[in-house]
Amino acid sequence: MPSLVAQDNCKLTVIGKVLDESKNPLPGATVFITELNLGKVTDQNGVYTFSDLCGGNYIFEIKFLGFESQRVSIQLIKSENLETILHEEDRILTEIVISDHRDPVEKTSTFGALSGKALEDVRGKSLGESLQSITGVTTIQSGPAIFKPVIHGVHSQRILILNNGVRQEGQQWGAEHAPEIDPFIASNLVVVKDAGALKYGTDALGGVVIVLPAELPTDQQIGGQMQVIGSSNGRAGVMSGMLEGGISKHTGWGWRIQGTAKRSGDLHTRDYNLSNTGYEELNYSASTGYHKEGKGVEFYYSHFNTTIGILRGSVVGSSEDLVNALESEPPQNTKPFSYQIDQPRQSVTHDLLKLTSHLRKGINLFHVQYGLQINNRKEFDLRRGELAAFPALGYKLYTNTIDTEWERTEGKSHIRSIGFNGMIQDNNKIDGTQNIPFIPNYVSYSVGLFWVEKFSKGLWDWEMGARYDFKYYDIVGFDYKNELYRSNLNFNNVSASVAGTFKINANSSLTTSLGSSWRPPSVSELYSLGTHQSAAAIEYGLMLDKLTNEVLVASEVKLNVEQAVKWVSTYQIHKGKFSAEISGYLNYIFNYIYLRPKGVTISTRGVFPYFRYTQSDASFLGADFSLGYAPRKNLNLMSKISLLRAKDESNDDYLIFIPSNRYEVSMRYDIPNLESWMNPYLEIREKFVSKQNRAPRVISLRQIIDAKEKGDDLLENDYQNFDFVDSPNGYFLTSLSAGISRSMGKSKMDIRVTADNLTNTAYREYTNRLRYYADDIGRNISIALKYIF
Amino acid sequence: MKLPVKISQPLLLTAILFINIACQNGDPIPENIPEFITKVVLTFSPEGSGSIIKVTATDPDGGGVQDIKVDGPINLLKNNNYTLSLALINELYKPGDDDYDVTEAIKKEGEEHQFFFSFSEGAFSSPIGAGNIKDYSSAIVGSINYLDKDLEGLPIGIETSWITSNTGVSSKSFRVLLKHQPAIKSSSSTSTDGESDLDILFELNVN
């Protein structure tokens, strides 16, 4: 109990402000008065208010993900203003959110986070592109607007994305399908790089991406922000706004509404326009919730809507077309700049409705969450006559998830969690595509149970646990003759992980984890049939007969689930002017499912190589380094290195689209404040991406076609992976950014100017499918204005 | 303190939503597949002597792994006039159905389609050369005697006219390429523009 100095005066107010090291406010930080069990969340100016406090001694605990927590002792005699500066951490060793809420990240994880200033730097970019600034995270790209996150070389259905606590269930079966999430909803973007995310279900073989919005405000005052970003490349504009507040007379209730609009025309390389690469996006979300003393409930709804153009010059109907497209520079049908988005294009909507509630009863914390997601994807191709108006491919995916968790504090440093996850999915083709569906309709049911123990012992923090999952598919599709087939499959398996962090001393720690995670083959890997957007190759699923293409009877096929065993160890040190984080990892994936070349066929559209989903063992071995040095208080030097080698172990072969090694150095100079002009800074960043030398062999399409016309199938008895062209050369990119803030009474304006690819280099990135047809995008200068009120 | 919303209510709501959305409807409706071409028939009708030559290429399994089957080489007589008619057929439909004869659709959408041909030199005296299918890098394009035109007055190529050479050839190639050129087809567009809808290689004898 606080010693009460002035018990009669219970009208004291504490107005506080939470800032980062460069004095930028941290909205969404939580402030907790331990003695009163009272919590607040900072507003857009980083400000919180506690009113009607009695005099006495209090401990304020201030927390924000990505920063070291702070405890501040206050002897409260009169109303006070309190300013707290939090120090950034690449990894956080303390608990993050108010104790009633789920911790999105465990103490014992190896992870990287974007929040505060680092997140502001990537505002306006898509989720995948934003995450690239975390060490060890890259992307698989399809043109300038489609980014799929890659964690330690692993991507797509091997990465779990948690959007505001809900497993994101979009249509991730294509290399050109980006996550359907607006990163503007997030106050934190976190990437967990180990395979131990046991609470959220299967599929986290490579890691977990967590998109975390700020806590809802509990104060009555209304705050918000408005952001406008303009970019030279694509003549693009982004506008995003947010408004939030409490509800008067209903303490504990808070609300927030948010929306983002984006529009870009054709992007351009150093030398030419990339026709039909514009995009549009319109997203909004609304949430309201009640939080008070150990109980809470929250409703959340978000809508995501995008239309993305696919480079006109990448459209091919046959291998001969692809030969032309590969040789053509600038790409075929390149036209002057336009905002017009024609075929081919994709249009995707994603709706998420979430209800969540928690209740603390003594040492027990109960958590229930329901999520409904509706994902609607349509892909439009260049088609004959009136058919162009119909999507060539379209699916609607409904996902219901229910997550429950019972967390029990067993002792001072021991927490036990037991939980259940259920999911029902229903995937339906959109009628009227006038194409044989590429993947079948299905209903799937999944259930999972987990048990996780967390405890501290001496200098060690431990987490260990296991989970069991069962998945059932009920499938109905159409085969190559357009005849209906039905199939049922089920899979089940166990995941387990153990992780520990050892505090070596006050400045350094070592984290190590060993986790095993699995995933069932996805329906696309089982039943894909045919070609899809911009791929001059035919793809066949695991469940199709190799000679007849007939759908196999499920009970007669021996299928294995993909199972990863991932080990990650991280050493972290902060000492004076130096900081360093070094991670090493090995991810060995048994029964890794991917498309391997299996032969060449002649159809009425000419010669086509074809690929089958096959299973083999694959390994991903790598290391991430991030080193910091601050020779002076206002000068920061940063260096990041990501190294990776991946292999198909069963076939002693290289895998395609594996990110090459990359190196980055940056220097940031913080200029002293000039009256009401605050936090001016200048930052320069140099990135080098090396050529991928561990790439599959090259066989040109011309060789394949010429051989086939002479009756030779170059792939028939030689299933080694291949690529149509050599991996592109390494490249350097320079970027420059500068920013300044101006405070105007209660509100604040941030201005930021960024130049990416400053030297306008013509380059191609190995993991961008655009590399087959065109250079990557040239110089881009953007100006961002942010107004916080 | 009472919770504004009881914990049990979202649970109940959840259960209702689960049941509603998990309900399965009947079988999905099969799609029409009008873009499929499963069979191509080349008909060479002689003006003078000789009989009608018909050669058929059939795709046994659509998008499957089996190669197309061609029922023998094109055997033309030396020094003879022929009219070549192309028939593109979608056998997923029955004869008489609108979508059975793809040639009709191509004719109707002539402004965005053109057939291109290539053949071994010495096979024909008109057109001379090797046809009008070119590589991306090469600039030289031969001509074809088109007999049909779209609404813009540009050739389509369902009907073409050919005069075989005096010398003849044996075991040479004859390639038929159909390009889809929406908003691209013009008097200067070539075989490298647009996307391939059809691309078949035949064996050619002129004797």
Side-chain angles (χ1 to χ4, degrees):
Chain A
M1 281 300 286
S3 63
L4 304 175
V5 178
Q7 210 163 12
D8 52 323
N9 185 2
C10 285
K11 286 277 171 220
L12 302 178
T13 304
V14 174
I15 299 173
K17 195 163 189 179
V18 183
L19 304 166
D20 68 11
E21 281 164 90
S22 17
K23 297 276 178 95
N24 291 310
L26 292 174
T30 59
V31 183
F32 199 71
I33 306 179
T34 323
E35 290 80 0
L36 303 175
N37 200 17
L38 203 61
K40 294 277 180 181
V41 180
T42 58
D43 65 12
Q44 287 304 305
N45 296 305
V47 174
Y48 62 91
T49 310
F50 286 103
S51 42
D52 300 332
L53 295 177
C54 303
N57 290 327
Y58 298 105
I59 292 175
F60 280 48
E61 195 166 5
I62 299 144
K63 296 176 174 186
F64 189 62
L65 186 58
F67 293 82
E68 280 176 40
S69 298
Q70 268 195 39
R71 291 163 74 89
V72 184
S73 299
I74 296 172
Q75 191 183 25
L76 200 62
I77 301 163
K78 55 179 179 46
S79 289
E80 290 214 44
N81 291 327
L82 181 66
E83 192 179 276
T84 315
I85 293 172
L86 294 184
H87 300 281
E88 246 177 281
E89 273 261 51
D90 284 344
R91 262 175 43 74
I92 323 122
L93 296 165
T94 45
E95 301 224 1
I96 306 124
V97 199
I98 315 185
S99 57
D100 276 351
H101 295 225
R102 276 184 160 193
D103 295 341
V105 181
E106 304 301 343
K107 291 181 188 185
T108 49
S109 296
T110 290
F111 70 94
L114 287 182
S115 55
K117 165 81 181 61
L119 187 57
E120 287 310 320
D121 282 351
V122 296
R123 281 297 190 206
K125 295 179 175 172
S126 72
L127 179 66
E129 195 178 6
S130 304
L131 294 172
Q132 279 190 109
S133 48
I134 297 175
T135 323
V137 183
T138 51
T139 58
I140 294 254
Q141 238 182 301
S142 293
I146 303 174
F147 292 82
K148 277 172 99 80
V150 179
I151 305 174
H152 288 166
V154 168
H155 57 89
S156 300
Q157 311 191 53
R158 296 178 188 93
I159 287 180
L160 187 59
I161 299 177
L162 289 176
N163 180 8
N164 197 354
V166 181
R167 257 180 91 95
Q168 175 80 2
E169 288 290 332
Q171 298 182 37
Q172 285 297 305
W173 47 269
E176 77 284 19
H177 301 181
E180 307 87 347
I181 295 173
D182 176 12
F184 273 103
I185 66 163
S187 68
N188 294 285
L189 294 173
V190 183
V191 175
V192 180
K193 300 171 194 169
D194 47 37
L198 292 168
K199 289 183 182 177
Y200 307 102
T202 57
D203 300 4
L205 278 70
V208 186
V209 173
I210 299 168
V211 179
L212 204 65
E215 296 288 330
L216 283 174
T218 47
D219 287 338
Q220 285 173 26
Q221 72 219 59
I222 288 179
Q225 63 175 54
M226 187 74 208
Q227 202 158 336
V228 182
I229 303 167
S231 300
S232 64
N233 203 329
R235 300 179 204 173
V238 178
M239 220 161 89
S240 187
M242 190 274 283
L243 211 59
E244 63 181 11
I247 297 169
S248 59
K249 290 180 193 150
H250 292 88
T251 319
W253 276 102
W255 58 270
R256 177 183 298 135
I257 52 171
Q258 174 272 345
T260 305
K262 288 189 193 180
R263 186 170 191 199
S264 174
D266 295 338
L267 289 123
H268 59 82
T269 69
R270 184 187 68 186
D271 302 317
Y272 44 82
N273 191 42
L274 294 169
S275 280
N276 203 45
T277 54
Y279 57 91
E280 287 170 9
E281 214 174 290
L282 183 66
N283 315 316
Y284 46 85
S285 69
S287 53
T288 180
Y290 172 85
H291 294 269
K292 209 167 189 181
E293 292 143 44
K295 46 194 128 185
V297 57
E298 198 178 310
F299 302 85
Y300 177 81
Y301 169 75
S302 68
H303 176 79
F304 175 89
N305 183 356
T306 186
T307 299
I308 306 174
I310 310 278
L311 179 71
R312 179 64 180 84
S314 71
V315 182
V316 290
S318 72
S319 302
E320 290 279 354
D321 293 356
L322 182 55
V323 171
N324 291 334
L326 293 177
E327 287 171 9
S328 168
E329 188 159 13
Q332 296 174 306
N333 306 309
T334 293
K335 289 180 201 145
F337 174 86
S338 164
Y339 280 105
Q340 181 81 27
I341 304 171
D342 286 321
Q343 283 90 330
R345 66 174 194 274
Q346 41 180 265
S347 107
V348 180
T349 63
H350 191 91
D351 289 89
L352 165 66
L353 179 72
K354 182 186 96 155
L355 312 173
T356 177
S357 64
H358 66 266
L359 177 67
R360 181 177 283 285
K361 276 255 190 301
I363 57 166
N364 298 303
L365 175 64
F366 301 95
H367 196 282
V368 182
Q369 175 175 285
Y370 167 74
L372 168 66
Q373 296 173 71
I374 303 170
N375 186 290
N376 200 330
R377 163 173 284 273
K378 289 179 186 158
E379 293 181 3
F380 295 87
D381 278 346
L382 285 151
R383 301 175 82 185
R384 223 178 61 205
E386 290 160 1
L387 287 172
F390 300 103
L393 180 156
Y395 295 96
K396 209 165 181 179
L397 175 68
Y398 293 86
T399 306
N400 296 269
T401 49
I402 184 146
D403 302 296
T404 61
E405 185 182 350
W406 169 33
E407 194 179 285
R408 193 178 155 89
T409 309
E410 295 286 346
K412 205 173 170 217
S413 54
H414 182 192
I415 295 168
R416 171 174 299 155
S417 295
I418 294 171
F420 163 83
N421 312 97
M423 180 163 81
I424 300 178
Q425 278 188 313
D426 189 2
N427 183 59
N428 288 294
K429 75 179 173 78
I430 293 170
D431 291 331
T433 61
Q434 314 216 30
N435 252 330
I436 294 179
F438 187 73
I439 58 169
N441 287 7
Y442 64 88
V443 178
S444 83
Y445 303 85
S446 315
V447 287
L449 288 167
F450 65 85
W451 174 35
V452 177
E453 301 272 337
K454 279 187 283 183
F455 53 89
S456 300
K457 214 162 196 173
L459 296 171
W460 285 90
D461 285 322
W462 289 101
E463 189 207 335
M464 53 188 68
R467 70 173 288 134
Y468 169 82
D469 288 276
F470 174 85
K471 189 168 189 117
Y472 172 80
Y473 286 122
D474 185 2
I475 288 157
V476 51
F478 294 91
D479 66 9
Y480 72 98
K481 291 171 295 200
N482 207 21
E483 283 170 9
L484 191 107
Y485 66 87
R486 284 186 174 283
S487 206
N488 298 306
L489 290 133
N490 64 69
F491 300 95
N492 69 95
N493 212 334
V494 175
S495 314
S497 95
V498 54
T501 290
F502 177 63
K503 289 184 206 85
I504 300 166
N505 52 42
N507 303 322
S508 60
S509 65
L510 181 72
T511 297
T512 189
S513 75
L514 184 66
S516 170
S517 178
W518 73 283
R519 72 176 184 102
S522 70
V523 167
S524 62
E525 290 161 340
L526 295 167
Y527 294 100
S528 288
L529 170 73
T531 58
H532 69 112
Q533 215 157 44
S534 303
I538 309 176
E539 300 174 10
Y540 299 112
L542 286 159
M543 294 296 289
L544 303 184
D545 186 274
K546 288 181 176 61
L547 293 173
T548 62
N549 307 313
E550 298 285 350
V551 173
L552 299 166
V553 179
S555 56
E556 290 168 11
V557 184
K558 193 184 168 291
L559 276 178
N560 297 308
V561 299
E562 237 182 48
Q563 182 117 32
V565 177
K566 187 170 182 181
W567 164 83
V568 191
S569 278
T570 302
Y571 172 72
Q572 202 198 6
I573 182 161
H574 283 262
K575 206 167 186 184
K577 296 169 175 174
F578 289 96
S579 64
E581 187 181 309
I582 300 162
S583 291
Y585 60 91
L586 172 64
N587 194 358
Y588 198 94
I589 304 182
F590 296 92
N591 312 313
Y592 183 77
I593 301 169
Y594 75 105
L595 283 166
R596 302 199 69 199
K598 286 287 167 175
V600 182
T601 180
I602 305 178
S603 77
T604 51
R605 282 189 295 152
V607 173
F608 279 90
Y610 62 87
F611 295 76
R612 273 184 200 288
Y613 280 103
T614 54
Q615 296 193 294
S616 50
D617 296 349
S619 70
F620 300 81
L621 174 69
D624 296 333
F625 302 85
S626 96
L627 310 164
Y629 176 56
R632 281 164 49 192
K633 204 175 180 312
N634 53 0
L635 189 64
N636 269 289
L637 303 172
M638 217 30 209
S639 167
K640 291 178 183 175
I641 302 171
S642 286
L643 308 174
L644 167 65
R645 65 180 304 168
K647 243 184 127 176
D648 178 336
E649 296 284 349
S650 314
N651 300 294
D652 191 23
D653 197 4
Y654 289 125
L655 298 168
I656 199 167
F657 284 116
I658 296 298
S660 58
N661 296 337
R662 45 207 67 206
Y663 312 83
E664 188 182 297
V665 284
S666 62
M667 187 171 78
R668 181 185 159 110
Y669 178 59
D670 291 295
I671 304 157
N673 288 352
L674 239 143
E675 291 170 12
S676 57
W677 290 100
M678 293 173 359
N679 314 323
Y681 76 92
L682 205 65
E683 187 170 345
I684 184 160
R685 200 179 291 265
E686 186 74 31
K687 184 175 170 183
F688 173 68
V689 175
S690 65
K691 179 181 163 80
Q692 180 54 284
N693 293 314
R694 297 190 187 97
R697 65 192 167 147
V698 176
I699 306 178
S700 77
L701 271 166
R702 180 50 61 206
Q703 285 172 288
I704 293 173
I705 296 166
D706 288 350
K708 185 71 181 178
E709 282 173 356
K710 291 193 186 82
D712 268 349
D713 185 335
L714 288 185
L715 305 175
E716 196 172 14
N717 297 310
D718 180 2
Y719 299 154
Q720 294 292 99
N721 291 324
F722 76 98
D723 199 349
F724 301 127
V725 294
D726 193 13
S727 62
N729 289 328
Y731 59 88
F732 282 97
L733 288 183
T734 310
S735 64
L736 205 60
S737 79
I740 196 162
S741 301
R742 190 184 168 90
S743 65
M744 298 168 286
K746 269 208 79 182
S747 55
K748 188 178 149 246
M749 170 87 100
D750 291 342
I751 306 163
R752 179 167 51 92
V753 182
T754 313
D756 290 318
N757 191 0
L758 184 71
T759 54
N760 209 9
T761 305
Y763 72 100
R764 297 189 182 202
E765 163 58 47
Y766 179 64
T767 58
N768 187 349
R769 283 151 46 100
L770 185 75
R771 73 175 157 100
Y772 291 118
Y773 314 103
D775 287 343
D776 224 302
I777 66 169
R779 184 188 297 127
N780 179 32
I781 295 170
S782 31
I783 298 174
L785 298 177
K786 185 178 175 185
Y787 180 67
I788 304 165
F789 53 97
Chain B
M1 180 81 199
K2 217 181 134 196
L3 268 180
V5 177
K6 278 186 193 151
I7 303 283
S8 61
Q9 278 168 343
L11 268 175
L12 188 69
L13 192 60
T14 302
I16 293 165
L17 280 166
F18 252 82
I19 292 156
N20 279 345
I21 285 145
C23 279
Q24 217 193 332
N25 326 325
D27 284 345
I29 312 155
E31 292 290 329
N32 287 329
I33 318 292
E35 287 161 305
F36 251 54
I37 299 167
T38 63
K39 194 157 117 179
V40 178
V41 186
L42 271 57
T43 309
F44 285 90
S45 310
E47 244 168 58
S49 54
S51 51
I52 291 176
I53 309 295
K54 251 189 190 187
V55 177
T56 306
T58 317
D59 193 339
D61 60 351
V65 292
Q66 294 178 53
D67 290 346
I68 54 164
K69 305 270 182 290
V70 182
D71 65 350
I74 304 166
N75 291 313
L76 303 180
L77 295 176
K78 277 195 266 194
N79 204 9
N80 209 359
N81 283 18
Y82 289 95
T83 299
L84 169 60
S85 313
L86 301 174
L88 278 47
I89 292 158
N90 181 351
E91 289 172 305
L92 292 178
Y93 295 89
K94 288 182 198 70
D97 283 357
D98 270 357
D99 288 316
Y100 178 80
D101 187 359
V102 183
T103 331
E104 278 306 309
I106 304 288
K107 201 179 285 175
K108 222 169 75 190
E109 296 149 9
E111 297 92 79
E112 54 183 59
H113 286 102
Q114 187 173 349
F115 284 95
F116 296 88
F117 303 86
S118 77
F119 37 84
S120 304
E121 272 194 64
F124 300 100
S125 60
S126 173
I128 50 161
N132 64 353
I133 300 177
K134 69 173 195 105
D135 279 341
Y136 180 76
S137 44
S138 73
I140 305 139
V141 184
S143 63
I144 295 293
N145 304 318
Y146 288 97
L147 295 177
D148 46 7
K149 284 187 167 61
D150 65 19
L151 296 173
E152 305 287 320
L154 297 170
I156 304 175
I158 297 168
E159 304 259 319
T160 45
S161 137
W162 305 81
I163 304 169
T164 49
S165 66
N166 298 323
T167 47
V169 293
S170 74
S171 296
K172 297 291 181 182
S173 65
F174 187 84
R175 182 172 159 205
V176 182
L177 173 68
L178 171 61
K179 279 287 180 170
H180 182 213
Q181 302 177 326
I184 297 171
K185 188 175 174 183
S186 70
S187 54
S188 59
S189 59
T190 68
S191 69
T192 55
D193 295 310
E195 291 79 51
S196 303
D197 279 348
L198 183 85
D199 188 354
I200 303 180
L201 199 62
F202 296 88
E203 193 184 332
L204 174 68
N205 296 317
V206 177
N207 41 39

